[in-house]
Structure formats: structure tokens, C-alpha cells
Amino acid sequence: MSGPYEAVIGVWDGHDAGAALVIDGRVALALNEERLSRRKLDVGLPTRALAAMRRAAGHRRIAWAPTTSDFAKTLTRTFPSMKENYYQLRRRLVPPGPLHALKSHAKYSLTQLPTHPVLRAWARRSFARQLGADVEDVFLVDHHEAHAASAAYPPNWDTDAVVVTLDGIGDGESGSVWLWSHATHSLEKLLSIPGSASLGLFFEHVTNELQMRPLEDEGKVMALASYAVDTPPEKNPFLRWFSLTTDTRGLPVLRCSVSPLRMRRAVADLVWCTPRETLCRQAQQTLEILVPRFFTLLAEATGRRAFAYAGGVASNIKVNRLIRTSPGIDRLEICPAMGDGGLALGAALSIWHKTSGSRPRPFHDFRLGTAHGDLGADADRYAAAHGAQLSRPPDLARAVADLVAKGRVVMWAQGRMELGARALGARSIVARADSITARDDLNLRLKRRVWYQPFCPSILASEAPALLADFRGPHDLNRHMTNGFMTTPHGRQALAGAIGPDGSCRPQMVGPDDNPLWYQLLQYVRALTGVGAVINTSLNLHGKPMSDDADGVVEAWIESGVEFLALGSALLTKKSA
């Protein structure tokens, strides 16, 4: 590849569009368009995010790294209205028209088509034109290679690893397996999973036929499954659709007897005659049986015990818990932006390695949004505009901990925003972790979401052994809420407001080398309540994205029923909550 390039900008223009910037091997900035446009899971060329990348890149020579060139994506780039129409339908912002069934059939037909050199050349020219770049500076990255890179490059490995991607579909594949070399810092593709065996599309169909939003509400299916009695596997109709065998090398081979074109109808038939929560349990059970077994077969075939994981299916934290505790798995690293919102990051990391010949710098801090400085710098203006009280406590973390200990709910916006769907102490709403009252208050007054979807806790990493029954040590450190854990009896009490009915939770474990102010807040909470833990949910209203800047944060606070906002150095209080 040509070079030298001083910076790489990754670009993704599909579902949850975004961009990422790598400078001198370091991820300098990564943003999803929704955080700037205020359109949840925005789609299309991420013009606002790209403008931020260009400003941050300055006058450096840029290599552009767009991703995905299958026929469906390339067609919607040629006719952008198709992409916008699909976005409106998927989010159920408009009713389906008379041709909806035909369009849906066409979508699932076209997404099965793999990419090839003609489509790649077409996509490169299209991106070069849209980005105002020379074609020779545009390096296209395949969909699952970008997913694999997003999982493989951030962790600090001390051994070779296996990288797995499981998604809906992209470039004709629904998944892939790669070998990560610790010596060369490179990825070598081991096998491909065809679109006809897509676990992601299967779960998408279940979500859609239950009248939920596909690519958005799959977590609700997982959560509702906890309220159903287990179906014996031999009586689970979904499991009969899939088979998992091995090839002559011992590598897993996943197949599905129901094609994506017929699957929607097949799922709809089962929805008609199956209780809602039972169907969710059967779908969840299907993943819980197939995916951990897939990983175990890979461990047996390759002899490797360290794994990285990305793709939309990797957002299922209950499946992830079973993978983590499966035979042969010593370490499981999951990309915090595991879905398509992480493709731009993966593409940028992949092309940096290919153009420079060097490994991108490892990192675990996914606060990669814009550096705005003190978000509370203009708090006087916000207080005056909204009739709020303003104070600037000398110890903000202590002041917020005092409120949390007293049972109050506080919005918390500090520093650069997180990349990915999870609040990690930059754009968070916090409350007492042991308070069911606080949990219900959050659901009723702020999130306004379904009752069965649990919140998540942030805990001091030092308390993980006491709170979590299956925490096994440093390799289980879960900094980004990407994995599930079962709680101990003590943990069930201490985290009562942030666990599911089965005692499971998705904790963020915070250590002293992580976000210092967030760590300090948890230390103060421990001093006041006896446990260093809080309910931590994203700072947004239901159906709206988190915001990168202070204006969007304040807008969410004003619309909410929350009384307190810790905005940078300022603590704002509504006069009439």
C-alpha cells in the first residue's frame, strides 16, 4: 500500500453511521453521527462526524478507510433515498406502504449477495467522490474485517488469540473467524460464515415479529426471556433450524435449514401460537447453546485460549457470560462498540496497520468523543435560561455521592463522550445500586421504557469478588459492560436496583487507572453506603441518543424528571423538580 500517511479516517455510512480518526497509531477521535445529529442510530454519510475528524486531523495526509461494499450497500449509496426510507421504516417513524412486503423480500435477497472486485471499485469511487479524496487514498475494508479489527487491536495481548465476528450480514457474510498473531500484530482469516446461517438475522426477525424495532430492541428480547420457563432444547423449534458440526480441520460449521427469505414467515407463524416471553426464551436459548459451543470448538481446533469478539450478536451479554465460562476459554475481550457503530473504528485501525506496518496503540479508555474542555464552562447561561440553581462544589464527586447516598438521581456529564451504546461514566445517570425505588423512579420519570429491562451497575473493580459469583480474576475485568455475571447473595442485596430477576447483571468494573473522577465518585459512595456501586444508565431519554456536547446534555436534563445535573465543574439543580 502507498504511504506514508500521517492519519487514517474510518468511515461507516450504514446503520449507526460514524467515523474514527487514528493519528500516529493512536485513536484520537471516534464519533457516531447520532450523537451530533440527534437522530437515534442515524444512517447515511456521517457528515458531522467527518467534519470533526477533518478538524482534528489538521493538515496531515489522510488515508480514508470506508467499509462494506456489498450490492445492497452500494445500491443505497447510489440512491440515498432508499437508505433513508429504510431508516424511517425500521424505526417505525412511518407506516409501511403497499409495497412493504416486496421491499422487505428484496432487502433480504440483496443482502445475501457477496461483494466482489467490481463492487469494491464502485464503492471506492463513490466514497472518493463523496469525501473529496483521491481514489488512491481510499482503502476499502470488508465488513467483517472491520469488526475483527475493532475487537483485536484495542486490547493489550500477551499471546496469540482467536477473533470471532457474529453479525446480521455484511459483504455476504454473517460472521468470520480470524487468527491474531501477537508477533506480527496481524489478522489472518480462518473461516467465513455465510449469510444463510446468520444468527444476527434470526434474532432480528424475532425482534421484528414481536413488534419491536429490529437492530435496536434485541436487548428487550434477551431481557424478557428471563421471565419464561426454560423450554427443553429438544422441543425448541428454533434449534431445529440450525446445525453446528465440524469440518475436517475440526473447525465449526454453522448451517441453517430456513433461508433468510423464508425465516420471517416461519418466525411469524411461531409468534402467532407461542406466548411472547416463551418465544423470547426459545430465541435466547438458541444463541446460548450454539454460540458458546462455536467458541469451544474453535478453542479445541486452534489450541488458543484467548478470544476477541465483535459484531451485533456480541451485544448479548448473557451469551457472552456463557462463552467466558466455557471450557477452553481463558480470556474474552469484547469490543464496546461491537455493533455496526464500531465499524469505522475497526476500519481505521486496520488500514493504519496496513499502511504504516505498525500496530495501533492498545487502549482501554473508550471515551473517544470530542474534547470540549469543561462542559460546565457555560453553566451560568444554562442556569439563567432555565431558572436553575448553580453551584460549583470544590469536590464534585463528593457532592454527587452525597446526593446518591440520600436516594437522589443525578445526571452526570464529564469530559469526552463514550463510543458505543453503554454509558461508562462520561454521559451517565446515577442512583443508588441497592435501591429498587430508584430503579422504578428512573423507569417511570426518565427512561419510560419497558418494565422488564434491567439497569446496569458500575462497581469498584476491587469489589467484584464479593459481589459477583463467577468473577475469576483479572482476565474477567469488565470495564465496558460487555459481559454478564451472576451475583453473590451479598451482590443481590447490594445491587438490587441493577440486576435481572435471575440475579444476573452487566457491571462496569472501575479501577484506579480508569476514569479518575468516576472512580473517585464510587469510592465516596462506598464510604457513605458501604458498597462502591451505583446504578449507571445512559444520559438520554428513551428513543433519543446521548449527546456529545453540553447543549444536548442540558436539553435532555430539562426534558427529564431528574432534579440534579453534574455538568463538568458545575452542579445544576432545578428549582421546581
Side-chain angles (χ1 to χ4, degrees), residues 154-287:
N156 196 359
W157 299 101
D158 56 5
T159 184
D160 292 342
V162 179
V163 183
V164 178
T165 73
L166 293 174
D167 202 22
I169 195 164
D171 286 332
E173 297 177 319
S174 66
S176 62
V177 178
W178 308 69
L179 298 179
W180 162 263
S181 168
H182 176 57
T184 63
H185 311 304
S186 59
L187 287 165
E188 176 190 352
K189 196 168 189 178
L190 186 63
L191 62 85
S192 171
I193 303 173
S196 59
S198 174
L199 293 172
L201 285 183
F202 156 67
F203 222 72
E204 178 183 324
H205 280 302
V206 170
T207 305
N208 190 51
E209 294 307 315
L210 288 171
Q211 299 303 305
M212 301 179 190
R213 291 169 176 157
L215 304 177
E216 187 172 348
D217 287 341
E218 280 75 7
K220 293 180 182 178
V221 177
M222 180 189 71
L224 189 55
S226 299
Y227 291 86
V229 176
D230 254 341
T231 299
E234 63 274 13
K235 294 184 178 180
N236 184 340
F238 294 138
L239 276 170
R240 292 197 290 270
W241 296 357
F242 292 93
S243 66
L244 183 57
T245 57
T246 57
D247 63 15
T248 55
R249 300 171 293 172
L251 294 172
V253 178
L254 181 66
R255 294 189 177 92
C256 182
S257 60
V258 180
S259 73
L261 293 178
R262 292 194 297 114
M263 190 174 286
R264 186 196 67 80
R265 184 67 260 168
V267 171
D269 290 343
L270 289 169
V271 168
W272 178 256
C273 60
T274 309
R276 186 182 177 92
E277 65 277 6
T278 300
L279 191 89
C280 290
R281 181 65 204 131
Q282 291 170 346
Q284 178 68 18
Q285 182 189 62
T286 300
L287 295 191

Side-chain angles (χ1 to χ4, degrees), residues 65 144 223 242 291 313 347 353 427 470 506 553:
H144 284 273
F242 292 93
V291 178
V313 179
H353 178 254
R427 301 292 184 276
D470 49 355
R506 179 179 59 200
V553 168

